[in-house]
Amino acid sequence: MDAFSELADGYKWLILGMALAIGEIFVPGVLLIWFSAAAVIVGLATLLFGFGIATQLAFATVISLATVTLGRMWYRKHKVASEDPLLNNRGARMIGRTVTVVEPVSETGGRAKVGDSVWPARGAAMAAGDTGRIIAVEDGVLVLQALD
């Protein structure tokens, strides 16, 4: 038999908890740490009370749900400030940019060039070749303001 299979179940849970904590370093997001905490709690409880395997698995399920729920509650109360809050909001990142109208723009439609792509646009009446400023992005449509 190998050394791992001879370990008490509580120590196996503690090893799993440490492995999950280390895994948290390599996985984006904050999820594994809550399962790690649950595994450590189950490991300690198993060492103290000598739970059987069925009780260990049931306890692990309950404690995992509890730690994940507590973690979510904590993150809702303590928002993590981002260096770039608009990182994944492409439309919001474009507000304020100057664009060139490709197809005449009116309140009902038109198209404008942003960088190397062309986007649907609407706003003040502008002819092709005019320059406008993006003041909003609504459902993937640029809302333009004419520049004088």
Side-chain angles (χ1 to χ4, degrees):
M1 291 197 138
D2 60 30
F4 185 76
S5 63
E6 294 177 12
L7 281 176
D9 287 344
Y11 291 116
K12 292 176 185 175
W13 282 104
L14 293 174
I15 291 169
L16 175 63
M18 294 304 124
L20 289 170
I22 292 168
E24 180 68 40
I25 296 169
F26 300 106
V27 178
V30 181
L31 180 64
L32 292 181
I33 198 67
W34 308 117
F35 291 110
S36 170
V40 169
I41 292 168
V42 172
L44 293 173
T46 300
L47 288 173
L48 288 172
F49 303 113
F51 292 150
I53 189 68
T55 305
Q56 291 173 37
L57 293 175
F59 192 54
T61 302
V62 171
I63 296 299
S64 293
L65 289 171
T67 56
V68 170
T69 301
L70 289 172
R72 286 178 52 104
M73 289 170 45
W74 189 86
Y75 273 104
R76 282 197 178 127
K77 288 182 182 177
H78 302 89
K79 297 285 183 189
V80 177
S82 172
E83 290 180 18
D84 188 359
L86 301 178
L87 178 65
N88 293 318
N89 191 343
R90 187 174 178 193
R93 290 179 76 107
M94 290 193 290
I95 294 174
R97 288 185 63 177
T98 302
V99 297
T100 304
V101 174
V102 176
E103 293 176 14
V105 171
S106 68
E107 287 297 325
T108 58
R111 297 186 67 76
K113 184 170 184 156
V114 179
D116 61 351
S117 62
V118 177
W119 286 61
R122 65 179 177 78
M126 290 183 269
D130 287 353
T131 304
R133 173 165 285 124
I134 302 171
I135 57 171
V137 179
E138 298 173 354
D139 295 327
V141 178
L142 305 177
V143 179
L144 301 181
Q145 174 184 36
L147 293 179
D148 296 325

